[in-house]
Amino acid sequence: MNYNIFEEMDGEYSRKSDETEQAYMERIVRAVVEAPPAGEKPWFTELMAPAFRSCDAEAVALCLEFMPLDWQTNPNGILHGGIISTAIDITFGILTRYCVRTSKTVTMSLTVNYMRSIPMEHPYYVRATANKVGRRVKNLYAEVIDSVTGRQAADATALFM
């Protein structure tokens, strides 16, 4: 992933004159998620291997998909809860960066409510929405959905600055 793309939204990655906000959001988010690692060592977020699923510029929403990896299991053989919260944080972070057009954001608060486990063989997605985007603080909500069953596994709220 390359968060530096958010710093180039007034330059190389600026919105084209014939481009809708929806098409622009999708182009930017795909570029960030699909970019090769920024350095020799991959960041933890890159090891999570998110994939673009969808976005909605009007609703200020982003959906990323994740596939559980062997190293993400807990002792019970299911996806570790910390991995789920990391997937949520990654999705919130990319959505926030898009909204404020900068690579510099900070998670101020993240609350995750777990409802059910995700088996290791099930891909899952995080659907995040920015409820309020102010000058300094962004309020976000997300749902984590098991892609195989369609059932909600968790939800989360966050404040970003």
Side-chain angles (χ1 to χ4, degrees), residues 29 117 131 147:
V29 172
S117 61
N131 295 330
S147 293

Side-chain angles (χ1 to χ4, degrees), residues 5-156:
I5 288 170
F6 293 112
E7 298 295 335
E8 300 170 20
M9 290 175 75
D10 290 330
E12 181 182 349
Y13 286 95
S14 62
R15 185 174 167 188
K16 297 174 181 159
S17 60
D18 63 340
E19 192 171 35
T20 65
E21 185 67 25
Q22 176 64 34
Y24 181 54
M25 181 180 190
E26 184 170 337
R27 179 170 63 92
I28 294 299
V29 172
R30 281 184 182 278
V32 169
V33 172
E34 295 170 2
E40 290 179 23
K41 283 186 177 179
W43 295 342
F44 182 71
T45 53
E46 292 165 338
L47 296 175
M48 294 283 295
F52 177 83
R53 185 175 171 117
S54 66
C55 65
D56 186 330
E58 188 175 337
V60 193
L62 174 63
C63 187
L64 298 179
E65 188 155 33
F66 298 82
M67 183 65 199
L69 304 169
D70 289 342
W71 62 270
Q72 298 172 338
T73 187
N74 71 13
N76 296 323
I78 56 176
L79 187 63
H80 192 284
I83 295 298
I84 294 171
S85 65
T86 300
I88 293 166
D89 193 50
I90 289 169
T91 308
F92 279 155
I94 291 174
L95 180 58
T96 299
R97 286 174 174 89
Y98 177 80
C99 290
V100 298
R101 302 210 175 357
T102 182
S103 63
K104 295 163 181 59
T105 62
V106 177
T107 308
M108 295 172 47
S109 170
L110 176 62
T111 302
V112 180
N113 303 300
Y114 300 96
M115 296 158 195
R116 59 186 45 86
S117 61
I118 297 177
M120 289 303 291
E121 62 277 0
H122 288 199
Y124 62 99
Y125 59 92
V126 179
R127 184 174 45 223
T129 305
N131 295 330
K132 183 174 190 283
V133 179
R135 278 185 344 115
R136 294 185 45 106
V137 177
K138 293 81 186 147
N139 182 302
L140 302 116
Y141 173 77
E143 296 175 321
V144 178
I145 308 294
D146 181 320
S147 293
V148 173
T149 66
R151 297 179 71 190
Q152 186 173 345
D155 70 4

